């Protein structure tokens, strides 16, 4: 949207983030000037990404860099094809990285490259591995730089890491233990919220790239989704005003209501209806 | 409308653009038909629908109770409601009681593309039957190693009469009607093959989609597939942009180092002819070595079996090629619909807003003739999407349960849909008579 809403967006938030966006704010006393209603749609994918990154909730227990879900982008920009294409060009320009998540059928997390590298640094520092220190450096310089897709084959991983030095099998296990890579070798029958499933074949040679330290957040993500949907489903007419929904706190998820609302609206589980008193959120019947 | 007719008379409007305008106007006003009704004799869900390609007159449907029926969609069998509603009953039905009929569900029923004298049904009882329409007898029978999911015959073929069969076995089999035997098998998929479609631009090219999520293009004259679609290879737009430096373009769109695809190799056509309907499995030479160094032992045509690129994150449940043969639409059980550019093999990144698609069964997609709209069965509704922008143009809600197949007849601009609720629904533009009647009564109301 426009500049005023951009400034207004981080005012009056209950949880302040460490990294503040550009303009200084004045704290509004009682009202939450920012509301999801005003900030639901943007014109451009990059603007939407930056805004949502700024609005990422701060989680106390886990230090995690902000990431954005693809479904959140779909709820924010009108034209989905435009979102896909712009994401593709951003990915090719190495501005963002896309990761496939294992929650649900087609979940992708988008993270700015700098954030991802910061996250990697934090995780590596905490591991304090003497031997395998170099692997992470090789991973960072050779693999992340050249392989832009969300998955990689074993052979190629080996070749790229060898550009840094002698690679042993133990090195790759280090990467897996750090949470940077996940083996595709499990047959996943993963049930998403609507109980539809995907089956991924046993593929012992492929790895997915992953965001390290994200496990608890992902669990919170699926639980939060279920909680929001069950909350709305329990109501008589399965709907609620967006403004009052935002104020609710979620019990099972560290991510805030706004995050989940954007995600569920974008993936089609919820839909918004414009009424004379504001936006209404309703569970969509497929 | 009248102005357009006048323009056509005077020659201002070309005949082709006149027809396309009328047709697209009619398609935009599709709704559940209030003057046509197909009475379906099936007692289980309808899995497959097809109108014959020669006349566009006979609709063939295959259902899960092993019955197949043919209806005449242009001539009604009787009329109801004072002559207003045309009822189309089936001309004949073949079911389990038939001595050579199928025993389990029919998953696919297609017409012989040359004329309506033959039709082919594939069923979960592992058999493909070729029926003579006039005598309703089985003239040929092929036994498959697994449940048959889809059968297809090329509408362009002039030199061959092959039925491509996708079964729960990993190999795609080609059955020859002329000789009554299997012609050859195509290996490369790693799981059952749910959809098969012949290309609309070449009689030798077959496209198959498997439960492993891969879409492969096969030239049946040689071994192995020549293209595997990869969802991470994408292009931004209808056609790929002309590269400034071919090197940079290659870096973006070339395959990874360890993939075995060999686009430049010219393998000799090694067709494995098997005798007399014996569907014995032939394992490809040097099947899937673990280490890359053993790759040299594989026949160059079989290198494609090492390519594990997937087009969808789940099974590929529906395929449809556009009439011009340049684009391919694929539906997957990951509830995504993707549009592929056949020439470059890239994903055009058009996003179709599908929330959920049916996952366990193959679904049949339909495109309108100028390929501007694609009709997709989405759970209990059928949605029409604009192919280039991905926007939902219309939603057709009428079925009580999941819709399995839809067929668009471009001659009549009618859509036929069949689903698990055992009904075949007809969606047609409102008749001119109805529009005029409403117009006249409206005028009378104003005057009186």
């Amino acid at each position: 949207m426009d500049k005023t809403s951009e400034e207004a967006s981080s005012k009056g938030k209950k949880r302040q983030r460490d990294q503040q966006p550009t303009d200084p704010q004045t704290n509004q006393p009682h009202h939450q000037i920012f509301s999801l209603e005003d900030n639901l749609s943007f014109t451009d994918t990059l603007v939407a990404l930056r805004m949502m990154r700024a609005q990422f909730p701060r989680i106390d227990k886990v230090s995690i860099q902000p990431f954005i879900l693809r479904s959140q982008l779909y709820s924010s920009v009108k034209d989905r094809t435009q979102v896909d294409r712009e994401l593709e060009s951003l990915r090719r320009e190495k501005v963002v990285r896309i990761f496939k998540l294992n929650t649900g059928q087609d979940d992708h997390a988008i993270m700015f490259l700098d954030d991802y590298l910061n996250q990697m640094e934090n995780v590596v520092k905490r591991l304090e591995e003497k031997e395998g220190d170099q692997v992470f450096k090789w991973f960072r310089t050779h693999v992340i730089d050249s392989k832009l897709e969300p998955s990689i084959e074993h052979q190629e991983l080996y070749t790229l890491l060898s550009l840094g030095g002698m690679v042993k099998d133990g090195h790759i296990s280090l990467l897996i233990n750090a949470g940077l890579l996940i083996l595709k070798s499990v047959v996943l029958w993963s049930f998403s919220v609507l109980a539809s499933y995907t089956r991924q074949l046993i593929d012992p040679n492929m790895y997915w790239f992953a965001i390290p330290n994200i496990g608890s957040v992902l669990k919170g993500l699926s639980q939060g989704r279920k909680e929001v949907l069950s909350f709305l489903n329990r109501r008589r007419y399965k709907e609620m005003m967006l403004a009052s929904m935002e104020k609710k706190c979620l019990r099972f998820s560290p991510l805030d209501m706004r995050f989940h609302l954007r995600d569920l609206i974008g993936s089609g589980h919820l839909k918004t209806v414009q009424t004379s008193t504001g936006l209404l959120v309703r569970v969509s019947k497929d | 409308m009248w102005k357009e007719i006048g323009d056509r008379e005077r020659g201002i409007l070309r005949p082709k653009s006149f027809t396309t305008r009328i047709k697209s106007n009619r398609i935009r006003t599709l709704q559940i038909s209030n003057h046509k009704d197909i009475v379906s004799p099936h007692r289980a869900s309808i899995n497959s629908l097809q109108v014959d390609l020669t006349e566009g007159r006979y609709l063939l449907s295959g259902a899960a109770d092993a019955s197949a029926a043919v209806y005449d969609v242009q001539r009604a069998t009787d009329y109801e409601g004072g002559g207003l509603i045309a009822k189309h009953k089936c001309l004949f039905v073949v079911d389990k009681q038939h001595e050579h009929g199928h025993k389990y569900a029919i998953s696919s029923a297609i017409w012989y593309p040359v004329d309506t004298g033959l039709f082919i049904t594939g069923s979960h009882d592992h058999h493909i039957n070729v029926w003579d329409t006039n005598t309703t007898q089985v003239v040929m029978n092929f036994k498959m190693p697994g449940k048959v999911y889809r059968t297809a015959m090329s509408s362009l073929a002039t030199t061959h009469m092959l039925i491509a069969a996708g079964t729960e076995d990993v190999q795609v089999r080609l059955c020859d009607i002329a000789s009554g035997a299997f012609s050859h098998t195509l290996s490369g998929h790693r799981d059952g093959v749910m959809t098969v479609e012949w290309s609309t631009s070449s009689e030798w090219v077959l496209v198959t989609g498997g439960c492993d999520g891969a879409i492969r293009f096969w030239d049946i004259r040689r071994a192995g597939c020549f293209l595997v679609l990869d969802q991470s290879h994408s292009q931004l737009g209808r056609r790929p942009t002309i590269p400034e430096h071919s090197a940079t373009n290659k870096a973006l769109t070339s395959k990874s180092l360890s993939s075995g695809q060999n686009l430049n190799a010219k393998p000799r056509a090694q067709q494995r002819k098997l005798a007399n309907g014996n569907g014995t499995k032939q394992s490809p030479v040097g099947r899937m070595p673990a280490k890359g160094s053993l790759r040299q032992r594989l026949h160059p045509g079989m290198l494609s079996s090492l390519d594990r690129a997937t087009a969808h994150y789940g099974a590929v449940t529906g395929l449809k090629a556009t009439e011009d043969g340049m684009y391919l639409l694929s539906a997957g059980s990951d509830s995504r619909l993707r549009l592929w550019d056949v020439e470059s093999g890239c994903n055009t990144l058009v996003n179709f807003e599908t929330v959920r698609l049916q996952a366990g069964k193959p679904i049949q997609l339909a495109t309108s003739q100028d390929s501007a709209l694609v009709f997709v069965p989405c759970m209990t509704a059928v949605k029409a999407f604009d192919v280039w922008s991905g926007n939902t143009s219309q939603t057709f809600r009428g079925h009580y349960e999941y819709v399995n197949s839809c067929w668009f007849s471009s001659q009549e601009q009618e859509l036929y849909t069949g689903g698990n609720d055992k009904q075949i629904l007809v969606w047609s533009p409102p008749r001119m008579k109805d529009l005029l009647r409403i117009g006249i009564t409206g005028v009378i109301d104003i005057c009186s």
Side-chain angles (χ1 to χ4, degrees), chain B residues 227-283:
Chain B
L227 181 59
V228 182
L229 294 180
D230 188 345
Q231 58 185 313
S232 49
H233 288 182
S234 42
Q235 68 190 34
L236 311 166
R238 278 199 212 190
R239 301 282 7 260
T241 48
I242 300 167
E244 293 189 4
H245 305 283
S246 56
T248 43
N249 208 35
K250 266 209 191 119
L252 293 173
T253 58
S254 67
K255 296 273 192 172
S256 59
L257 305 167
S258 47
S259 107
Q261 194 187 8
N262 231 332
L263 287 173
N264 302 322
K266 290 197 190 104
R268 292 188 312 269
Q270 270 198 1
Q271 317 219 338
R272 300 182 217 115
K273 298 232 185 255
L274 300 170
N276 289 347
N278 247 2
T280 49
K281 254 199 211 173
Q282 288 231 345
S283 55

Side-chain angles (χ1 to χ4, degrees), chain B residues 359-400:
Chain B
K361 263 177 145 164
I363 56 177
Q364 222 178 330
L365 312 173
T367 48
S368 64
Q369 192 173 30
D370 54 352
S371 307
L373 280 183
V374 55
F375 299 96
V376 183
C378 295
M379 312 308 282
T380 54
V382 176
K383 291 198 183 161
F385 294 101
D386 177 66
V387 168
W388 306 116
S389 66
N391 297 327
T392 312
S393 139
Q394 283 157 290
T395 309
F396 302 104
R397 282 184 214 278
H399 279 279
Y400 295 126

